[in-house]
Amino acid sequence: MSARGPLVVAGDVLLDEDIVGVADRLAPDGPAPVVDVRSDLRRPGGAGLAAALAARSGRDVVLVTALGDDAASEAVRRALRGRVRLVEVPLSGTLPVKTRVMAGGRPLVRIDRGGGTPGEPDDAVRDALAGAHTVLVADYGCGTVAAVREHLAASARRVPLVWDPHPKGDTPVPGARIVTPNAAEVSFLTSERAAGAGRSLRDFAERGRELAERWRAAAVAVTLGERGVLLTRPGDGTPMLVPAPYRAEGDPCGAGDCFSAATAAELADGALPEEAVQRAVARAAAFVAAGGAGNPGLWRTEGRVRPVRAAENDPFALAERVRAHGGTVVATGGCFDLLHAGHVGLLESARRIGDCLIVCVNSDESITRRKGPGRPLNPVHDRTRVLAGLGCVDAVAVFEEDTPVALLNRLRPDVWVKGGDYAVEELPEADVVRAWGGQAVVLPYLDGRSTTLLARRAAASQAAARTPSH
């Protein structure tokens, strides 16, 4: 466990099952499709999925949930072993099992089975929540949250708490940092007071504000699918809309769990609510594009893929850690003397390629040799600190040579990225990266943005300011 305490996920675990096949004919005894089964995937859902996603960042995650002696509970234990630490509430009955029959990438039918009643939490539950650094509540209306509500209320007074609600679940405890209902849940939860209300952004802003006041929450983030997330607060302030970074074509199953887990993880790393929501939206979009909860690769890797608060990590240890758990290491490099929009766009795009982004930065001496006297404009300490503050940057490494070849031989990234003012065949690093099976790529670059142009523009402005007017 980290010195500052784990991220604790509390809520209802389900066992999700996808039966995937092909349907190209109807049954002879009725108008029902016949599915030829090709694969069968079972995985933890609900709070189990949220905890597993949070643990992919390499952080210490504790899952407080109700499990019993049934086969579904044992399947969940096996799937989560080595990923999270389980603190169990006794379950009388069986764990809920939700089965989707899929064909052509779409669900044909969902079958729900099982269900039980959580018992009394013991001292281990109390101690887990008392020692949390951040808490995520994943309420699926199955009773676990109600069983531990007293401990959750105490946590909300002490640490950041994110609450993912359910219409059949408990009301969020007062003091939640962010509550994350989706559009349907918001409509259901406000139906008595907002009868006939529409689905415009204004309608959702009013409902989100109403819920924030009713729940005494610091903020309510209404998830609107492809439209993004609307962050509202109590009172009459202007809400913030965070659009998805791109249209994610894929299975949306589990996207809400991904969003709430990413939000809690970002708050645990010290992000402001606005920053946490922005990063969580991007993470959820990537999750959907990769196949959602049904992506088999999500469960093949055991543990960490995206490291905790990347920018503070040792870049070499980070690369080894990500590689060891099946992740993709992405690296890029440059002077980054004056960070501008072109840099930020490049770095954000590069981060979406893999599971961590390491930025290789020229030392001051290296820049002077390349750019001449007067450069760099900012010393290496300032440049690395600015880069490390970006949410898309996971670590920064400085190299003294004219090119990062020696550094790359140590990092051995899977992907080496440069901006669009280069061609891959011109990069001296391209052959180096290929030596261990890596790939060099060029990403589009914003035209008209460069440190040199900015420096010339600043110099011209200074000169104009010194010229006396006649």
Side-chain angles (χ1 to χ4, degrees), residues 4 49-50 88 95 170 181 192 198 233 272 274 308-309 315 325 327 352 355 398 436 452:
R4 64 181 184 179
L49 174 61
E88 297 185 18
L95 199 70
D170 254 36
E192 292 182 0
R233 295 182 181 277
L272 297 172
E274 292 81 2
V308 184
R309 209 45 208 147
H325 291 91
R352 289 195 288 268
D355 300 296
V398 178
W436 53 80
T452 301

Side-chain angles (χ1 to χ4, degrees), residues 101-158:
V101 180
M102 310 279 292
R106 297 180 181 278
L108 296 181
V109 65
R110 196 183 91 180
I111 304 164
D112 290 0
R113 293 170 289 163
T117 303
E120 288 295 320
D122 58 15
D123 290 344
V125 171
R126 180 201 62 201
D127 293 344
L129 286 164
H133 176 66
T134 305
V135 174
L136 166 62
V137 179
D139 191 356
Y140 275 74
C142 300
T144 303
V145 172
V148 301
R149 183 178 180 84
E150 177 185 345
H151 304 303
L152 295 174
S155 295
R157 294 190 290 268
R158 185 179 53 83

